[in-house]
Amino acid sequence: SQTIHQWPATLVQPVGSPLSLECTVEGTSNPNLYWYRQAAGRGLQLLFYSVGIGQISSEVPQNLSASRPQDRQFILSSKKLLLSDSGFYLCAWTRGRIGEQFFGPGTRLTVL
Amino acid sequence: SQQGEEDPQALSIQEGENATMNCSYKTSINNLQWYRQNSGRGLVHLILIRSNEREKHSGRLRVTLDTSKKSSSLLITASRAADTASYFCATDAFNYGGSQGNLIFGKGTKLSVKP
């Protein structure tokens, strides 16, 4: 069966510090991978998606970047965090183009 | 602007009652999905309804889709306290600037079921 992991679960970082959030998927190959951010009480905003190794598409210009160094690994990064980067970050994967998305447990990021 | 908009934003009911949540969207879709999110957790897929379907059932869930009105509803029958969560609709809008299976999520309905 497939599983998706995210870490860390929670993170408190000072403004201006770097960020690295990791997402890994097990039990499937060549998944589409997604990073979302959810602000408090809001819906999900798609940040990045990837259809293969090294292939990253950005949906929203921002202070963040993403990388996919391996087939089932998706990393969200920042060189210098802003207060507005605080939120709940969710990773998800799909098989193919259309269908159910499977979400990870999320990372709660607080930038102080 | 959001593709999907749920209403109400919040809904509070007693255990045993039915809960109905609505979703409206703006453009043509391939399918519409409903997800559930417990507080502080990831989203869990509930049901997917294709654009050529009008109604779908899964256990205590009933989803309808009216493409002429660009709207969908999620009905949870005989609600339980464990149904307390936020519920989101998401559309796979093939001509809303999305590609590769991107979903456009609404802001969600926060359901509270009191025992």
PDB file of all heavy atoms in Angstrom, chain A residues 32 34 36 38 42-43 46 49 51 59 88 90 97-101 103-105, chain B residues 31 33 35 37 40-43 45 88 92 99-103 105-107:
ATOM      1  N   ASN A  32       2.631  12.100  -9.453  1.00  0.00           N
ATOM      2  CA  ASN A  32       2.600  13.564  -9.488  1.00  0.00           C
ATOM      3  C   ASN A  32       2.646  14.021  -8.030  1.00  0.00           C
ATOM      4  O   ASN A  32       1.938  13.468  -7.182  1.00  0.00           O
ATOM      5  CB  ASN A  32       1.322  14.069 -10.152  1.00  0.00           C
ATOM      6  CG  ASN A  32       1.322  13.873 -11.654  1.00  0.00           C
ATOM      7  OD1 ASN A  32       2.274  13.345 -12.225  1.00  0.00           O
ATOM      8  ND2 ASN A  32       0.247  14.288 -12.290  1.00  0.00           N
ATOM      9  N   TYR A  34       2.684  17.354  -5.137  1.00  0.00           N
ATOM     10  CA  TYR A  34       2.154  18.701  -4.945  1.00  0.00           C
ATOM     11  C   TYR A  34       2.546  19.227  -3.559  1.00  0.00           C
ATOM     12  O   TYR A  34       2.554  18.487  -2.586  1.00  0.00           O
ATOM     13  CB  TYR A  34       0.619  18.696  -5.028  1.00  0.00           C
ATOM     14  CG  TYR A  34       0.076  18.099  -6.293  1.00  0.00           C
ATOM     15  CD1 TYR A  34      -0.084  16.721  -6.413  1.00  0.00           C
ATOM     16  CD2 TYR A  34      -0.272  18.901  -7.380  1.00  0.00           C
ATOM     17  CE1 TYR A  34      -0.566  16.156  -7.581  1.00  0.00           C
ATOM     18  CE2 TYR A  34      -0.755  18.345  -8.555  1.00  0.00           C
ATOM     19  CZ  TYR A  34      -0.897  16.975  -8.646  1.00  0.00           C
ATOM     20  OH  TYR A  34      -1.368  16.420  -9.805  1.00  0.00           O
ATOM     21  N   TYR A  36       1.091  22.263  -1.052  1.00  0.00           N
ATOM     22  CA  TYR A  36       0.047  23.241  -0.782  1.00  0.00           C
ATOM     23  C   TYR A  36       0.377  23.986   0.514  1.00  0.00           C
ATOM     24  O   TYR A  36       1.043  23.449   1.406  1.00  0.00           O
ATOM     25  CB  TYR A  36      -1.310  22.553  -0.562  1.00  0.00           C
ATOM     26  CG  TYR A  36      -1.921  21.891  -1.760  1.00  0.00           C
ATOM     27  CD1 TYR A  36      -1.665  20.542  -2.031  1.00  0.00           C
ATOM     28  CD2 TYR A  36      -2.800  22.574  -2.592  1.00  0.00           C
ATOM     29  CE1 TYR A  36      -2.251  19.917  -3.109  1.00  0.00           C
ATOM     30  CE2 TYR A  36      -3.400  21.953  -3.677  1.00  0.00           C
ATOM     31  CZ  TYR A  36      -3.113  20.621  -3.920  1.00  0.00           C
ATOM     32  OH  TYR A  36      -3.713  19.999  -4.992  1.00  0.00           O
ATOM     33  N   GLN A  38      -1.835  26.101   3.545  1.00  0.00           N
ATOM     34  CA  GLN A  38      -3.163  26.412   4.070  1.00  0.00           C
ATOM     35  C   GLN A  38      -3.004  27.426   5.194  1.00  0.00           C
ATOM     36  O   GLN A  38      -2.424  27.121   6.230  1.00  0.00           O
ATOM     37  CB  GLN A  38      -3.847  25.146   4.587  1.00  0.00           C
ATOM     38  CG  GLN A  38      -5.270  25.361   5.037  1.00  0.00           C
ATOM     39  CD  GLN A  38      -5.911  24.066   5.501  1.00  0.00           C
ATOM     40  OE1 GLN A  38      -5.249  23.176   6.016  1.00  0.00           O
ATOM     41  NE2 GLN A  38      -7.216  23.937   5.311  1.00  0.00           N
ATOM     42  N   ARG A  42      -8.532  28.787   6.113  1.00  0.00           N
ATOM     43  CA  ARG A  42      -8.649  29.026   4.674  1.00  0.00           C
ATOM     44  C   ARG A  42      -8.538  27.713   3.910  1.00  0.00           C
ATOM     45  O   ARG A  42      -8.203  26.666   4.441  1.00  0.00           O
ATOM     46  CB  ARG A  42      -7.545  29.976   4.216  1.00  0.00           C
ATOM     47  CG  ARG A  42      -7.540  31.316   4.900  1.00  0.00           C
ATOM     48  CD  ARG A  42      -8.789  32.126   4.589  1.00  0.00           C
ATOM     49  NE  ARG A  42      -8.951  32.371   3.183  1.00  0.00           N
ATOM     50  CZ  ARG A  42      -8.399  33.378   2.526  1.00  0.00           C
ATOM     51  NH1 ARG A  42      -7.618  34.232   3.182  1.00  0.00           N
ATOM     52  NH2 ARG A  42      -8.614  33.547   1.251  1.00  0.00           N
ATOM     53  N   GLY A  43      -8.784  27.808   2.632  1.00  0.00           N
ATOM     54  CA  GLY A  43      -8.610  26.657   1.749  1.00  0.00           C
ATOM     55  C   GLY A  43      -7.156  26.456   1.409  1.00  0.00           C
ATOM     56  O   GLY A  43      -6.261  27.102   1.941  1.00  0.00           O
ATOM     57  N   LEU A  46      -2.283  25.995  -3.959  1.00  0.00           N
ATOM     58  CA  LEU A  46      -1.250  25.190  -4.595  1.00  0.00           C
ATOM     59  C   LEU A  46      -0.002  26.040  -4.800  1.00  0.00           C
ATOM     60  O   LEU A  46      -0.060  27.118  -5.379  1.00  0.00           O
ATOM     61  CB  LEU A  46      -1.754  24.653  -5.939  1.00  0.00           C
ATOM     62  CG  LEU A  46      -0.760  23.803  -6.732  1.00  0.00           C
ATOM     63  CD1 LEU A  46      -0.405  22.532  -5.966  1.00  0.00           C
ATOM     64  CD2 LEU A  46      -1.334  23.466  -8.102  1.00  0.00           C
ATOM     65  N   TYR A  49       3.955  21.962  -8.213  1.00  0.00           N
ATOM     66  CA  TYR A  49       3.667  20.579  -8.545  1.00  0.00           C
ATOM     67  C   TYR A  49       4.785  20.048  -9.429  1.00  0.00           C
ATOM     68  O   TYR A  49       5.514  20.810 -10.074  1.00  0.00           O
ATOM     69  CB  TYR A  49       2.294  20.399  -9.187  1.00  0.00           C
ATOM     70  CG  TYR A  49       2.124  21.012 -10.549  1.00  0.00           C
ATOM     71  CD1 TYR A  49       2.362  20.274 -11.706  1.00  0.00           C
ATOM     72  CD2 TYR A  49       1.680  22.314 -10.681  1.00  0.00           C
ATOM     73  CE1 TYR A  49       2.178  20.830 -12.962  1.00  0.00           C
ATOM     74  CE2 TYR A  49       1.491  22.886 -11.927  1.00  0.00           C
ATOM     75  CZ  TYR A  49       1.739  22.133 -13.065  1.00  0.00           C
ATOM     76  OH  TYR A  49       1.555  22.695 -14.297  1.00  0.00           O
ATOM     77  N   VAL A  51       5.766  16.605 -12.078  1.00  0.00           N
ATOM     78  CA  VAL A  51       5.346  15.392 -12.786  1.00  0.00           C
ATOM     79  C   VAL A  51       6.501  14.417 -12.953  1.00  0.00           C
ATOM     80  O   VAL A  51       6.302  13.311 -13.485  1.00  0.00           O
ATOM     81  CB  VAL A  51       4.725  15.722 -14.146  1.00  0.00           C
ATOM     82  CG1 VAL A  51       3.504  16.621 -13.960  1.00  0.00           C
ATOM     83  CG2 VAL A  51       5.731  16.399 -15.059  1.00  0.00           C
ATOM     84  N   GLU A  59       3.074  27.643  -9.074  1.00  0.00           N
ATOM     85  CA  GLU A  59       1.765  28.231  -9.310  1.00  0.00           C
ATOM     86  C   GLU A  59       1.691  29.677  -8.832  1.00  0.00           C
ATOM     87  O   GLU A  59       0.923  30.463  -9.363  1.00  0.00           O
ATOM     88  CB  GLU A  59       0.680  27.414  -8.577  1.00  0.00           C
ATOM     89  CG  GLU A  59       0.393  26.086  -9.244  1.00  0.00           C
ATOM     90  CD  GLU A  59      -0.282  26.256 -10.583  1.00  0.00           C
ATOM     91  OE1 GLU A  59      -1.378  26.826 -10.649  1.00  0.00           O
ATOM     92  OE2 GLU A  59       0.306  25.819 -11.606  1.00  0.00           O
ATOM     93  N   PHE A  88       0.204  26.056   7.329  1.00  0.00           N
ATOM     94  CA  PHE A  88       0.176  24.595   7.373  1.00  0.00           C
ATOM     95  C   PHE A  88       0.502  24.112   5.966  1.00  0.00           C
ATOM     96  O   PHE A  88      -0.210  24.416   5.014  1.00  0.00           O
ATOM     97  CB  PHE A  88      -1.212  24.144   7.823  1.00  0.00           C
ATOM     98  CG  PHE A  88      -1.322  22.697   8.178  1.00  0.00           C
ATOM     99  CD1 PHE A  88      -0.426  22.101   9.037  1.00  0.00           C
ATOM    100  CD2 PHE A  88      -2.350  21.924   7.652  1.00  0.00           C
ATOM    101  CE1 PHE A  88      -0.531  20.760   9.384  1.00  0.00           C
ATOM    102  CE2 PHE A  88      -2.471  20.584   7.993  1.00  0.00           C
ATOM    103  CZ  PHE A  88      -1.558  19.998   8.851  1.00  0.00           C
ATOM    104  N   LEU A  90       1.089  21.210   3.215  1.00  0.00           N
ATOM    105  CA  LEU A  90       0.639  19.859   2.906  1.00  0.00           C
ATOM    106  C   LEU A  90       1.259  19.386   1.601  1.00  0.00           C
ATOM    107  O   LEU A  90       1.297  20.119   0.614  1.00  0.00           O
ATOM    108  CB  LEU A  90      -0.886  19.828   2.781  1.00  0.00           C
ATOM    109  CG  LEU A  90      -1.643  19.998   4.095  1.00  0.00           C
ATOM    110  CD1 LEU A  90      -3.063  20.471   3.834  1.00  0.00           C
ATOM    111  CD2 LEU A  90      -1.682  18.687   4.858  1.00  0.00           C
ATOM    112  N   ARG A  97      -3.198  12.020 -14.164  1.00  0.00           N
ATOM    113  CA  ARG A  97      -3.605  13.412 -14.244  1.00  0.00           C
ATOM    114  C   ARG A  97      -4.876  13.714 -13.469  1.00  0.00           C
ATOM    115  O   ARG A  97      -5.018  14.768 -12.875  1.00  0.00           O
ATOM    116  CB  ARG A  97      -3.819  13.787 -15.717  1.00  0.00           C
ATOM    117  CG  ARG A  97      -4.133  15.251 -15.910  1.00  0.00           C
ATOM    118  CD  ARG A  97      -4.474  15.548 -17.352  1.00  0.00           C
ATOM    119  NE  ARG A  97      -4.762  16.938 -17.560  1.00  0.00           N
ATOM    120  CZ  ARG A  97      -5.912  17.518 -17.244  1.00  0.00           C
ATOM    121  NH1 ARG A  97      -6.892  16.820 -16.706  1.00  0.00           N
ATOM    122  NH2 ARG A  97      -6.093  18.802 -17.452  1.00  0.00           N
ATOM    123  N   ILE A  98      -5.798  12.787 -13.476  1.00  0.00           N
ATOM    124  CA  ILE A  98      -7.112  13.094 -12.909  1.00  0.00           C
ATOM    125  C   ILE A  98      -7.437  12.079 -11.827  1.00  0.00           C
ATOM    126  O   ILE A  98      -7.263  10.887 -12.024  1.00  0.00           O
ATOM    127  CB  ILE A  98      -8.205  13.043 -13.997  1.00  0.00           C
ATOM    128  CG1 ILE A  98      -7.948  14.120 -15.037  1.00  0.00           C
ATOM    129  CG2 ILE A  98      -9.586  13.201 -13.388  1.00  0.00           C
ATOM    130  CD1 ILE A  98      -8.892  14.045 -16.228  1.00  0.00           C
ATOM    131  N   GLY A  99      -7.918  12.546 -10.702  1.00  0.00           N
ATOM    132  CA  GLY A  99      -8.342  11.612  -9.680  1.00  0.00           C
ATOM    133  C   GLY A  99      -8.022  12.080  -8.284  1.00  0.00           C
ATOM    134  O   GLY A  99      -7.638  13.226  -8.053  1.00  0.00           O
ATOM    135  N   GLU A 100      -8.173  11.149  -7.379  1.00  0.00           N
ATOM    136  CA  GLU A 100      -8.000  11.413  -5.966  1.00  0.00           C
ATOM    137  C   GLU A 100      -6.565  11.822  -5.644  1.00  0.00           C
ATOM    138  O   GLU A 100      -5.605  11.241  -6.170  1.00  0.00           O
ATOM    139  CB  GLU A 100      -8.343  10.141  -5.200  1.00  0.00           C
ATOM    140  CG  GLU A 100      -8.080  10.171  -3.724  1.00  0.00           C
ATOM    141  CD  GLU A 100      -8.406   8.836  -3.089  1.00  0.00           C
ATOM    142  OE1 GLU A 100      -8.887   7.930  -3.804  1.00  0.00           O
ATOM    143  OE2 GLU A 100      -8.160   8.692  -1.883  1.00  0.00           O
ATOM    144  N   GLN A 101      -6.447  12.815  -4.774  1.00  0.00           N
ATOM    145  CA  GLN A 101      -5.140  13.179  -4.252  1.00  0.00           C
ATOM    146  C   GLN A 101      -5.002  12.614  -2.850  1.00  0.00           C
ATOM    147  O   GLN A 101      -5.929  12.657  -2.046  1.00  0.00           O
ATOM    148  CB  GLN A 101      -4.953  14.693  -4.239  1.00  0.00           C
ATOM    149  CG  GLN A 101      -4.778  15.274  -5.636  1.00  0.00           C
ATOM    150  CD  GLN A 101      -4.200  16.672  -5.643  1.00  0.00           C
ATOM    151  OE1 GLN A 101      -3.838  17.231  -4.619  1.00  0.00           O
ATOM    152  NE2 GLN A 101      -4.108  17.247  -6.836  1.00  0.00           N
ATOM    153  N   PHE A 103      -3.038  12.919   0.659  1.00  0.00           N
ATOM    154  CA  PHE A 103      -2.330  13.960   1.389  1.00  0.00           C
ATOM    155  C   PHE A 103      -1.483  13.392   2.524  1.00  0.00           C
ATOM    156  O   PHE A 103      -1.849  12.401   3.166  1.00  0.00           O
ATOM    157  CB  PHE A 103      -3.324  14.963   1.984  1.00  0.00           C
ATOM    158  CG  PHE A 103      -3.872  15.921   0.967  1.00  0.00           C
ATOM    159  CD1 PHE A 103      -4.919  15.561   0.145  1.00  0.00           C
ATOM    160  CD2 PHE A 103      -3.329  17.192   0.836  1.00  0.00           C
ATOM    161  CE1 PHE A 103      -5.420  16.454  -0.805  1.00  0.00           C
ATOM    162  CE2 PHE A 103      -3.828  18.091  -0.102  1.00  0.00           C
ATOM    163  CZ  PHE A 103      -4.868  17.715  -0.928  1.00  0.00           C
ATOM    164  N   GLY A 104      -0.381  14.076   2.774  1.00  0.00           N
ATOM    165  CA  GLY A 104       0.419  13.777   3.943  1.00  0.00           C
ATOM    166  C   GLY A 104      -0.179  14.420   5.184  1.00  0.00           C
ATOM    167  O   GLY A 104      -1.170  15.158   5.097  1.00  0.00           O
ATOM    168  N   PRO A 105       0.437  14.187   6.342  1.00  0.00           N
ATOM    169  CA  PRO A 105      -0.101  14.710   7.598  1.00  0.00           C
ATOM    170  C   PRO A 105       0.130  16.200   7.797  1.00  0.00           C
ATOM    171  O   PRO A 105      -0.474  16.803   8.675  1.00  0.00           O
ATOM    172  CB  PRO A 105       0.636  13.895   8.658  1.00  0.00           C
ATOM    173  CG  PRO A 105       1.914  13.509   8.005  1.00  0.00           C
ATOM    174  CD  PRO A 105       1.583  13.313   6.551  1.00  0.00           C
TER     175      PRO A 105
ATOM    176  N   ASN B  31     -14.142  16.812 -13.178  1.00  0.00           N
ATOM    177  CA  ASN B  31     -14.757  16.145 -12.042  1.00  0.00           C
ATOM    178  C   ASN B  31     -14.732  17.065 -10.841  1.00  0.00           C
ATOM    179  O   ASN B  31     -14.052  18.104 -10.858  1.00  0.00           O
ATOM    180  CB  ASN B  31     -14.039  14.818 -11.713  1.00  0.00           C
ATOM    181  CG  ASN B  31     -12.600  15.030 -11.290  1.00  0.00           C
ATOM    182  OD1 ASN B  31     -12.331  15.617 -10.253  1.00  0.00           O
ATOM    183  ND2 ASN B  31     -11.654  14.555 -12.089  1.00  0.00           N
ATOM    184  N   GLN B  33     -14.470  16.846  -6.513  1.00  0.00           N
ATOM    185  CA  GLN B  33     -14.170  15.952  -5.395  1.00  0.00           C
ATOM    186  C   GLN B  33     -14.505  16.641  -4.074  1.00  0.00           C
ATOM    187  O   GLN B  33     -14.451  17.857  -3.978  1.00  0.00           O
ATOM    188  CB  GLN B  33     -12.677  15.582  -5.406  1.00  0.00           C
ATOM    189  CG  GLN B  33     -12.222  14.927  -6.702  1.00  0.00           C
ATOM    190  CD  GLN B  33     -10.746  14.589  -6.681  1.00  0.00           C
ATOM    191  OE1 GLN B  33     -10.214  14.121  -5.685  1.00  0.00           O
ATOM    192  NE2 GLN B  33     -10.078  14.844  -7.814  1.00  0.00           N
ATOM    193  N   TYR B  35     -13.388  16.514   0.039  1.00  0.00           N
ATOM    194  CA  TYR B  35     -12.377  16.073   0.988  1.00  0.00           C
ATOM    195  C   TYR B  35     -12.794  16.484   2.390  1.00  0.00           C
ATOM    196  O   TYR B  35     -13.512  17.460   2.581  1.00  0.00           O
ATOM    197  CB  TYR B  35     -11.017  16.715   0.688  1.00  0.00           C
ATOM    198  CG  TYR B  35     -10.320  16.175  -0.533  1.00  0.00           C
ATOM    199  CD1 TYR B  35     -10.675  16.615  -1.808  1.00  0.00           C
ATOM    200  CD2 TYR B  35      -9.300  15.238  -0.416  1.00  0.00           C
ATOM    201  CE1 TYR B  35     -10.039  16.115  -2.930  1.00  0.00           C
ATOM    202  CE2 TYR B  35      -8.648  14.746  -1.540  1.00  0.00           C
ATOM    203  CZ  TYR B  35      -9.028  15.189  -2.790  1.00  0.00           C
ATOM    204  OH  TYR B  35      -8.388  14.696  -3.899  1.00  0.00           O
ATOM    205  N   GLN B  37     -11.153  17.261   6.371  1.00  0.00           N
ATOM    206  CA  GLN B  37      -9.934  17.560   7.106  1.00  0.00           C
ATOM    207  C   GLN B  37     -10.260  17.703   8.584  1.00  0.00           C
ATOM    208  O   GLN B  37     -11.002  18.611   8.981  1.00  0.00           O
ATOM    209  CB  GLN B  37      -9.276  18.854   6.603  1.00  0.00           C
ATOM    210  CG  GLN B  37      -7.953  19.171   7.299  1.00  0.00           C
ATOM    211  CD  GLN B  37      -7.340  20.480   6.834  1.00  0.00           C
ATOM    212  OE1 GLN B  37      -8.048  21.421   6.488  1.00  0.00           O
ATOM    213  NE2 GLN B  37      -6.016  20.526   6.802  1.00  0.00           N
ATOM    214  N   GLY B  40      -5.958  20.233  12.140  1.00  0.00           N
ATOM    215  CA  GLY B  40      -4.519  20.033  12.210  1.00  0.00           C
ATOM    216  C   GLY B  40      -3.997  18.808  11.483  1.00  0.00           C
ATOM    217  O   GLY B  40      -2.863  18.402  11.697  1.00  0.00           O
ATOM    218  N   ARG B  41      -4.824  18.234  10.631  1.00  0.00           N
ATOM    219  CA  ARG B  41      -4.416  17.023   9.912  1.00  0.00           C
ATOM    220  C   ARG B  41      -4.452  17.236   8.408  1.00  0.00           C
ATOM    221  O   ARG B  41      -4.897  18.261   7.910  1.00  0.00           O
ATOM    222  CB  ARG B  41      -5.358  15.859  10.288  1.00  0.00           C
ATOM    223  CG  ARG B  41      -5.541  15.642  11.772  1.00  0.00           C
ATOM    224  CD  ARG B  41      -4.276  15.134  12.423  1.00  0.00           C
ATOM    225  NE  ARG B  41      -3.952  13.789  11.985  1.00  0.00           N
ATOM    226  CZ  ARG B  41      -4.397  12.690  12.586  1.00  0.00           C
ATOM    227  NH1 ARG B  41      -5.218  12.774  13.608  1.00  0.00           N
ATOM    228  NH2 ARG B  41      -4.045  11.499  12.147  1.00  0.00           N
ATOM    229  N   GLY B  42      -3.975  16.226   7.682  1.00  0.00           N
ATOM    230  CA  GLY B  42      -4.071  16.281   6.230  1.00  0.00           C
ATOM    231  C   GLY B  42      -5.491  16.022   5.751  1.00  0.00           C
ATOM    232  O   GLY B  42      -6.369  15.652   6.531  1.00  0.00           O
ATOM    233  N   LEU B  43      -5.714  16.237   4.464  1.00  0.00           N
ATOM    234  CA  LEU B  43      -7.039  16.013   3.892  1.00  0.00           C
ATOM    235  C   LEU B  43      -7.214  14.555   3.506  1.00  0.00           C
ATOM    236  O   LEU B  43      -6.258  13.891   3.094  1.00  0.00           O
ATOM    237  CB  LEU B  43      -7.244  16.875   2.650  1.00  0.00           C
ATOM    238  CG  LEU B  43      -7.674  18.315   2.890  1.00  0.00           C
ATOM    239  CD1 LEU B  43      -6.544  19.152   3.467  1.00  0.00           C
ATOM    240  CD2 LEU B  43      -8.191  18.950   1.607  1.00  0.00           C
ATOM    241  N   HIS B  45      -9.644  12.070   1.103  1.00  0.00           N
ATOM    242  CA  HIS B  45     -10.590  12.055  -0.004  1.00  0.00           C
ATOM    243  C   HIS B  45     -11.858  11.314   0.410  1.00  0.00           C
ATOM    244  O   HIS B  45     -11.811  10.238   1.008  1.00  0.00           O
ATOM    245  CB  HIS B  45      -9.940  11.354  -1.192  1.00  0.00           C
ATOM    246  CG  HIS B  45     -10.819  11.280  -2.396  1.00  0.00           C
ATOM    247  ND1 HIS B  45     -11.570  10.164  -2.701  1.00  0.00           N
ATOM    248  CD2 HIS B  45     -11.076  12.176  -3.369  1.00  0.00           C
ATOM    249  CE1 HIS B  45     -12.236  10.391  -3.801  1.00  0.00           C
ATOM    250  NE2 HIS B  45     -11.943  11.586  -4.236  1.00  0.00           N
ATOM    251  N   PHE B  88     -14.098  20.183   2.215  1.00  0.00           N
ATOM    252  CA  PHE B  88     -13.692  20.999   1.079  1.00  0.00           C
ATOM    253  C   PHE B  88     -14.145  20.354  -0.223  1.00  0.00           C
ATOM    254  O   PHE B  88     -14.060  19.127  -0.387  1.00  0.00           O
ATOM    255  CB  PHE B  88     -12.159  21.116   1.025  1.00  0.00           C
ATOM    256  CG  PHE B  88     -11.560  21.853   2.181  1.00  0.00           C
ATOM    257  CD1 PHE B  88     -11.206  21.183   3.338  1.00  0.00           C
ATOM    258  CD2 PHE B  88     -11.333  23.219   2.111  1.00  0.00           C
ATOM    259  CE1 PHE B  88     -10.646  21.855   4.419  1.00  0.00           C
ATOM    260  CE2 PHE B  88     -10.772  23.902   3.179  1.00  0.00           C
ATOM    261  CZ  PHE B  88     -10.432  23.215   4.328  1.00  0.00           C
ATOM    262  N   ASP B  92     -11.314  19.771 -10.669  1.00  0.00           N
ATOM    263  CA  ASP B  92     -10.248  19.551 -11.630  1.00  0.00           C
ATOM    264  C   ASP B  92     -10.652  20.309 -12.871  1.00  0.00           C
ATOM    265  O   ASP B  92     -11.292  19.768 -13.756  1.00  0.00           O
ATOM    266  CB  ASP B  92     -10.120  18.054 -11.912  1.00  0.00           C
ATOM    267  CG  ASP B  92      -9.045  17.760 -12.932  1.00  0.00           C
ATOM    268  OD1 ASP B  92      -8.357  18.685 -13.368  1.00  0.00           O
ATOM    269  OD2 ASP B  92      -8.912  16.587 -13.309  1.00  0.00           O
ATOM    270  N   SER B  99      -3.299  22.236 -14.813  1.00  0.00           N
ATOM    271  CA  SER B  99      -2.827  21.171 -15.680  1.00  0.00           C
ATOM    272  C   SER B  99      -2.257  20.073 -14.806  1.00  0.00           C
ATOM    273  O   SER B  99      -2.080  20.255 -13.609  1.00  0.00           O
ATOM    274  CB  SER B  99      -1.761  21.691 -16.641  1.00  0.00           C
ATOM    275  OG  SER B  99      -0.651  22.176 -15.918  1.00  0.00           O
ATOM    276  N   GLN B 100      -2.054  18.944 -15.398  1.00  0.00           N
ATOM    277  CA  GLN B 100      -1.448  17.838 -14.677  1.00  0.00           C
ATOM    278  C   GLN B 100      -2.241  17.453 -13.438  1.00  0.00           C
ATOM    279  O   GLN B 100      -1.664  17.108 -12.417  1.00  0.00           O
ATOM    280  CB  GLN B 100      -0.004  18.184 -14.282  1.00  0.00           C
ATOM    281  CG  GLN B 100       0.876  18.548 -15.462  1.00  0.00           C
ATOM    282  CD  GLN B 100       0.993  17.416 -16.463  1.00  0.00           C
ATOM    283  OE1 GLN B 100       0.866  16.258 -16.103  1.00  0.00           O
ATOM    284  NE2 GLN B 100       1.212  17.747 -17.727  1.00  0.00           N
ATOM    285  N   GLY B 101      -3.550  17.526 -13.512  1.00  0.00           N
ATOM    286  CA  GLY B 101      -4.384  17.062 -12.411  1.00  0.00           C
ATOM    287  C   GLY B 101      -4.487  18.032 -11.275  1.00  0.00           C
ATOM    288  O   GLY B 101      -4.905  17.657 -10.183  1.00  0.00           O
ATOM    289  N   ASN B 102      -4.128  19.280 -11.483  1.00  0.00           N
ATOM    290  CA  ASN B 102      -4.222  20.250 -10.402  1.00  0.00           C
ATOM    291  C   ASN B 102      -5.663  20.433  -9.963  1.00  0.00           C
ATOM    292  O   ASN B 102      -6.567  20.492 -10.784  1.00  0.00           O
ATOM    293  CB  ASN B 102      -3.664  21.602 -10.850  1.00  0.00           C
ATOM    294  CG  ASN B 102      -2.182  21.549 -11.108  1.00  0.00           C
ATOM    295  OD1 ASN B 102      -1.550  20.519 -10.894  1.00  0.00           O
ATOM    296  ND2 ASN B 102      -1.633  22.655 -11.562  1.00  0.00           N
ATOM    297  N   LEU B 103      -5.840  20.500  -8.666  1.00  0.00           N
ATOM    298  CA  LEU B 103      -7.155  20.735  -8.094  1.00  0.00           C
ATOM    299  C   LEU B 103      -7.245  22.161  -7.571  1.00  0.00           C
ATOM    300  O   LEU B 103      -6.272  22.707  -7.058  1.00  0.00           O
ATOM    301  CB  LEU B 103      -7.429  19.765  -6.945  1.00  0.00           C
ATOM    302  CG  LEU B 103      -7.547  18.292  -7.312  1.00  0.00           C
ATOM    303  CD1 LEU B 103      -7.796  17.465  -6.052  1.00  0.00           C
ATOM    304  CD2 LEU B 103      -8.669  18.080  -8.311  1.00  0.00           C
ATOM    305  N   PHE B 105      -9.184  24.184  -4.774  1.00  0.00           N
ATOM    306  CA  PHE B 105      -9.954  23.937  -3.557  1.00  0.00           C
ATOM    307  C   PHE B 105     -10.745  25.172  -3.146  1.00  0.00           C
ATOM    308  O   PHE B 105     -10.277  26.306  -3.302  1.00  0.00           O
ATOM    309  CB  PHE B 105      -9.028  23.560  -2.403  1.00  0.00           C
ATOM    310  CG  PHE B 105      -8.493  22.165  -2.481  1.00  0.00           C
ATOM    311  CD1 PHE B 105      -7.386  21.862  -3.257  1.00  0.00           C
ATOM    312  CD2 PHE B 105      -9.113  21.144  -1.782  1.00  0.00           C
ATOM    313  CE1 PHE B 105      -6.896  20.564  -3.329  1.00  0.00           C
ATOM    314  CE2 PHE B 105      -8.636  19.848  -1.851  1.00  0.00           C
ATOM    315  CZ  PHE B 105      -7.525  19.552  -2.628  1.00  0.00           C
ATOM    316  N   GLY B 106     -11.914  24.923  -2.563  1.00  0.00           N
ATOM    317  CA  GLY B 106     -12.657  25.981  -1.920  1.00  0.00           C
ATOM    318  C   GLY B 106     -12.121  26.232  -0.533  1.00  0.00           C
ATOM    319  O   GLY B 106     -11.153  25.608  -0.098  1.00  0.00           O
ATOM    320  N   LYS B 107     -12.767  27.182   0.188  1.00  0.00           N
ATOM    321  CA  LYS B 107     -12.297  27.536   1.527  1.00  0.00           C
ATOM    322  C   LYS B 107     -12.847  26.599   2.596  1.00  0.00           C
ATOM    323  O   LYS B 107     -12.399  26.635   3.733  1.00  0.00           O
ATOM    324  CB  LYS B 107     -12.692  28.976   1.854  1.00  0.00           C
ATOM    325  CG  LYS B 107     -12.014  29.995   0.956  1.00  0.00           C
ATOM    326  CD  LYS B 107     -12.434  31.408   1.316  1.00  0.00           C
ATOM    327  CE  LYS B 107     -11.788  32.400   0.363  1.00  0.00           C
ATOM    328  NZ  LYS B 107     -12.182  33.789   0.663  1.00  0.00           N
TER     329      LYS B 107
END
